[in-house]
Amino acid sequence: MALNSRVPEGPIKDKWTTYKDKINLVNPANKRHIDIIVVGTGLAGGSAAATLAELGYNVKAFAYQDSPRRAHSIAAQGGINAAKNYQGDGDSTYRLFYDTVKGGDYRSREANVYRLAEVSANIIDQCVAQGVPFARDYGGLLDNRSFGGVLVSRTFYAKGQTGQQLLLGAYSAMNRQIARGKIEMFNRHEMLDVVKIDGKARGIIARNLVTGEIERHSAHAVVIASGGYGNVYYLSTNAMGSNATAAWKIHKKGAYFANPCFTQIHPTCIPRSGDYQSKLTLMSESLRNDGRIWVPKNIEDAKAVQQRKLKPTDIAEENRDYFLERRYPAFGNLVPRDVASRAAKERCDAGYGVNATGEAVFLDFASAIERYGKEQAKIHNIENASAEKIYDLGKKIVEAKYGNLFQMYEKIVDEDPYKTPMMIYPATHYTMGGIWVDYNLMTTVDGLYCIGEANFSDHGANRLGASALMQGLADGYFVLPYTIGDYLSHEIRTGKIPTDTKEFDEAEKEVKDRIDFFINNKGKHSVDHFHKKLGKIMWDKCGMSRNEKGLKEAMAEIKALREEFWKEVNVPGSANEMNPELEKAGRVADFLELGELFAKDALERNESCGGHFREESVELDGEQKGEAKRNDKDYAYVAAWEYKGEPADAVLHKEQLEFKDIELKQRSYK
């Protein structure tokens, strides 16, 4: 099947407007007879469910948590991008589009990214109208800060809890529709399969996680908004319940999976402290506005710091290596995430790491506190202010900006980041890869849509900071509600979809058989035992840098681990009760397949781009020496994989990427 991205004709700045002008619509009276299922209620799913219900469709929304408020979007800290140019610093729709394509290392579809930049401004207006408490400057206007990979300040934020505030906005919009009876909310339900009838998605099989009951739900279209697959690494910044099951199930039913090897390793996370840990904690990228990243210049100092014989504050300024400022003078500490992560790894691998395991670098706020303190002293006409006074004044400003992040750090690490630099290290955070979708956000299965982090999205090979919230809300509030109508306009005479058909019978039987297998297979090892092993293979061989030998080993090791899992996994308890181990077993079974496809995709893509770094593909000389080397002649495409049984047998379909509005060139942040 040839991939048809359905990108409209015409100049890029007119595509979306013209497309909306000519799209098929469903009239209000007919919307009342059309059902839509939305799986996942984070920013993308929550905003989509609320908007579709507001338009008049009947929505069934599913969340595995006890409330949509608990979706992992809540954990987003730093902010949301929008091309408002409130700072008057030269921002525009085109510049946001350009930064996103360049940040993604030229591996995204131009038309989708331009549309994202275009609707970004509407998101801010929508959220302010909902009452989202964005930060404001002293005059009461909305404030902005800067994020990695850009030269303007376009990030709107609510302290260090932007995701939570935006999610509460979407949740309140959802609640209004729940009260009106337009959204039927299914909390504590997990989708375990999609049901296809005559090639169209017509419903799902879900498990009630409290009673264990298996349920059938039908609809005229199904929307998957279930987030990314970062937990394939076991240790990540994702919530421990975050999983890829909904996305993987639709992949097995015919939805192509695109670019699985494009994952984001976030540069600023609290380093892991041992083998017993179950998740990692993110420190917002916004901290890189004011924090400076460094390691000791001398290896002796680094060793002394590792052994706790030397404090970082005792190392003189001239003996510190601010390596991002040194290597990338134009962007400094605000280079994109993939660049910052690899630079930190390079220093740590060379022996300059600063914690006991040698896997951490410093993020230091001393100069920001001093800078803000001096500025405040001037504002308050304090002459010859003492160092102590300057520190107090500066600390107040930093606290107002990042207080909750500093508090979180202190609670976990038991060190005061106002007085001693934070220690950070890269960790798995976000997945740019995901289900392949066309311009309408429809997968390769008719009537099956995928939005937010779950699709292969607008971020190419590397997402810029503060763009995940932008994409999730753009898809949910402003894109899907238009494009889904085009498909549903042909469904107005279909009538209710019955659930007593052979397709529903078969899907339910498959789900029940798998659950029975887990409960009855009295193996030797827990689910976590296999998940940790998978995570280690993924981090060691498909982590921040990858090579042919390691990827081939990873494929073989994951396959062997998967076979052992099916023989030896032990799930306690029964199927007809609340059983978290049973939930985990299903999710890890899917990760054990996805992990192998991930390695296969990384092996096939023999170039370095964005978050995918192949050691065989590096610039060897010139000013870009040591940087990632892209290969546009052979790899300027989206790799969309078709399921054929074993992950190793997946078939590759290529969507060639065309760059008509941006020149394809080497990414430089020097």
Side-chain angles (χ1 to χ4, degrees):
M1 175 178 128
L3 286 173
N4 178 4
S5 62
R6 293 190 175 83
V7 171
E9 293 299 312
I12 198 159
K13 66 180 192 311
D14 302 331
K15 281 187 199 294
W16 179 231
T17 308
T18 312
Y19 188 62
K20 283 191 296 185
D21 289 345
K22 297 181 178 168
I23 208 164
N24 289 318
L25 301 173
V26 181
N27 91 5
N30 285 328
K31 285 183 181 135
R32 292 197 286 271
H33 305 298
I34 289 181
D35 304 323
I36 302 174
I37 283 172
V38 180
V39 179
T41 55
L43 284 180
S47 58
T51 310
L52 292 166
E54 180 85 44
L55 288 170
Y57 297 108
N58 308 312
V59 178
K60 283 182 166 184
F62 292 81
Y64 76 77
Q65 293 95 343
D66 56 358
S67 159
R69 283 198 314 264
R70 297 213 188 283
H72 192 60
S73 306
I74 200 171
Q77 297 169 357
I80 177 167
N81 290 328
K84 285 282 203 186
N85 193 30
Y86 282 169
Q87 302 301 320
D89 57 1
D91 202 9
S92 63
T93 299
Y94 181 85
R95 193 175 279 277
L96 174 51
F97 157 63
Y98 173 80
D99 286 342
T100 306
V101 173
K102 177 186 174 184
D105 221 351
Y106 303 91
R107 290 294 174 263
S108 42
R109 191 190 290 150
E110 269 195 346
N112 284 50
V113 180
Y114 194 89
R115 173 175 66 187
L116 174 68
E118 215 176 325
V119 303
S120 68
N122 303 1
I123 298 172
I124 304 304
D125 299 342
Q126 167 99 356
C127 296
V128 168
Q130 286 172 343
V132 172
F134 284 124
R136 293 174 182 268
D137 65 18
Y138 68 95
L141 301 174
L142 291 172
D143 199 12
N144 293 110
R145 54 187 175 201
S146 196
F147 258 61
V150 303
L151 295 170
V152 296
S153 293
R154 64 160 71 100
T155 305
F156 295 80
Y157 63 97
K159 224 170 181 183
Q161 41 180 289
T162 316
Q164 180 179 16
Q165 298 305 328
L166 292 171
L167 186 64
L168 290 172
Y171 176 65
S172 62
M174 272 184 86
N175 267 347
R176 183 165 164 264
Q177 302 304 328
I178 292 169
R180 289 178 63 214
K182 293 304 290 179
I183 294 180
E184 195 179 349
M185 188 65 223
F186 293 88
N187 293 327
R188 293 269 187 208
H189 278 69
E190 182 165 29
M191 167 186 155
L192 293 179
D193 213 347
V194 67
V195 180
K196 275 166 65 179
I197 300 175
D198 300 330
K200 293 180 173 178
R202 290 300 198 200
I204 66 169
I205 305 293
R207 179 170 180 267
N208 179 327
L209 298 180
V210 178
T211 64
E213 197 180 335
I214 303 299
E215 301 172 5
R216 303 175 179 199
H217 297 274
S218 68
H220 298 90
V222 176
V223 180
I224 303 297
S226 54
Y229 49 90
N231 273 348
V232 69
Y233 285 92
Y234 185 70
L235 280 180
S236 82
T237 65
N238 288 223
M240 290 184 65
S242 298
N243 65 83
T245 289
W248 194 250
K249 291 297 191 251
I250 67 171
H251 171 56
K252 292 173 91 161
K253 284 284 172 80
Y256 293 1
F257 206 101
N259 301 337
C261 76
F262 288 168
T263 51
Q264 178 158 83
I265 314 285
H266 197 295
T268 56
C269 300
I270 297 178
R272 73 188 184 95
S273 47
D275 295 334
Y276 49 82
Q277 203 163 339
S278 51
K279 84 176 288 301
L280 297 168
T281 305
L282 177 76
M283 286 283 106
S284 168
E285 173 157 327
S286 60
L287 295 171
R288 288 198 272 146
N289 270 289
D290 286 316
R292 299 176 72 195
I293 294 176
W294 64 277
V295 291
K297 243 182 210 167
N298 307 321
I299 197 86
E300 303 76 35
D301 287 349
K303 292 278 173 274
V305 170
Q306 286 166 20
Q307 293 157 11
R308 293 279 179 129
K309 290 177 183 165
L310 182 65
K311 286 182 177 161
T313 43
D314 295 339
I315 297 175
E317 193 65 20
E318 62 273 17
N319 294 328
R320 300 177 176 195
D321 175 15
Y322 294 94
F323 56 90
L324 291 178
E325 296 170 25
R326 167 171 59 81
R327 282 177 66 173
Y328 309 102
F331 284 74
N333 292 295
L334 282 173
V335 288
R337 293 172 176 182
D338 57 323
V339 178
S341 291
R342 279 196 295 276
K345 181 181 191 297
E346 183 276 326
R347 289 289 77 198
C348 291
D349 288 352
Y352 292 89
V354 295
N355 66 349
T357 61
E359 289 185 328
V361 297
F362 288 127
L363 177 61
D364 196 335
F365 290 86
S367 60
I369 289 172
E370 187 181 343
R371 186 177 75 246
Y372 286 128
K374 284 178 175 167
E375 188 183 289
Q376 288 300 307
K378 277 207 164 66
I379 290 168
H380 294 107
N381 289 322
I382 303 170
E383 284 186 29
N384 306 324
S386 67
E388 215 167 294
K389 184 66 183 167
I390 288 171
Y391 171 82
D392 287 343
L393 292 168
K395 182 185 170 184
K396 280 199 179 90
I397 299 291
V398 170
E399 199 168 351
K401 285 185 162 192
Y402 314 112
N404 62 320
L405 300 170
F406 277 54
Q407 191 183 6
M408 194 158 71
Y409 181 88
E410 189 168 3
K411 273 200 160 72
I412 292 171
V413 182
D414 195 23
E415 281 182 0
D416 181 354
Y418 294 104
K419 296 208 167 101
T420 182
M422 285 185 179
M423 285 190 286
I424 51 152
Y425 194 68
T428 304
H429 176 54
Y430 184 89
T431 54
M432 284 75 65
I435 298 295
W436 184 91
V437 291
D438 63 15
Y439 191 72
N440 292 325
L441 305 180
M442 200 198 291
T443 66
T444 44
V445 175
D446 282 347
L448 183 57
Y449 291 78
C450 190
I451 60 176
E453 189 182 353
N455 73 23
F456 88 110
S457 81
D458 308 332
H459 308 296
N462 173 60
R463 175 173 72 72
L464 290 182
S467 287
L469 306 186
M470 172 173 69
Q471 185 221 339
L473 292 179
D475 287 357
Y477 283 135
F478 299 112
V479 180
L480 180 80
Y482 280 105
T483 61
I484 201 168
D486 194 40
Y487 171 79
L488 292 172
S489 63
H490 306 294
E491 298 287 337
I492 56 179
R493 293 192 183 83
T494 307
K496 264 265 182 261
I497 309 281
T499 58
D500 54 356
T501 55
K502 72 173 196 326
E503 291 86 352
F504 273 93
D505 292 343
E506 285 163 10
E508 185 179 321
K509 183 180 184 308
E510 213 176 296
V511 165
K512 282 183 163 166
D513 287 350
R514 178 152 145 162
I515 287 172
D516 290 343
F517 169 83
F518 285 135
I519 294 296
N520 297 322
N521 186 59
K522 299 295 181 199
K524 291 203 284 279
H525 297 295
S526 70
V527 176
D528 279 351
H529 166 87
F530 293 101
H531 197 175
K532 281 180 181 171
K533 279 192 159 180
L534 171 66
K536 183 152 174 53
I537 298 168
M538 292 298 296
W539 183 252
D540 291 347
K541 295 177 180 176
C542 310
M544 270 190 279
S545 68
R546 304 150 183 186
N547 58 54
E548 184 181 359
K549 177 175 171 287
L551 291 166
K552 284 180 171 167
E553 286 170 2
M555 283 184 73
E557 286 171 28
I558 293 168
K559 183 180 162 74
L561 184 65
R562 189 169 65 244
E563 286 165 3
E564 189 197 344
F565 171 85
W566 286 105
K567 285 196 195 96
E568 294 296 347
V569 71
N570 186 335
V571 177
S574 74
N576 303 321
E577 62 176 350
M578 189 165 175
N579 189 340
E581 285 300 309
L582 177 60
E583 295 164 33
K584 273 198 292 196
R587 295 166 190 169
V588 172
D590 294 333
F591 281 140
L592 283 163
E593 292 179 359
L594 195 159
E596 189 179 341
L597 181 66
F598 184 131
K600 181 184 172 79
D601 184 46
L603 181 65
E604 191 276 333
R605 189 173 282 279
N606 191 11
E607 66 159 351
S608 291
C609 61
H612 170 64
F613 186 76
R614 282 289 296 265
E615 290 163 16
E616 301 90 339
S617 188
V618 180
E619 295 288 352
L620 296 176
D621 41 42
E623 75 154 6
Q624 289 290 100
K625 187 178 176 182
E627 300 296 328
K629 185 177 183 179
R630 244 182 26 241
N631 174 351
D632 295 327
K633 191 167 76 65
D634 300 320
Y635 294 103
Y637 60 76
V638 176
W641 295 94
E642 182 183 1
Y643 181 76
K644 288 289 185 194
E646 283 287 310
D649 302 332
V651 174
L652 174 63
H653 301 265
K654 296 178 183 177
E655 179 199 339
Q656 294 297 333
L657 294 168
E658 292 177 359
F659 294 91
K660 294 175 180 164
D661 291 86
I662 286 182
E663 181 197 349
L664 196 56
K665 62 179 186 201
Q666 171 74 35
R667 206 172 53 143
S668 171
Y669 292 95
K670 299 280 186 191

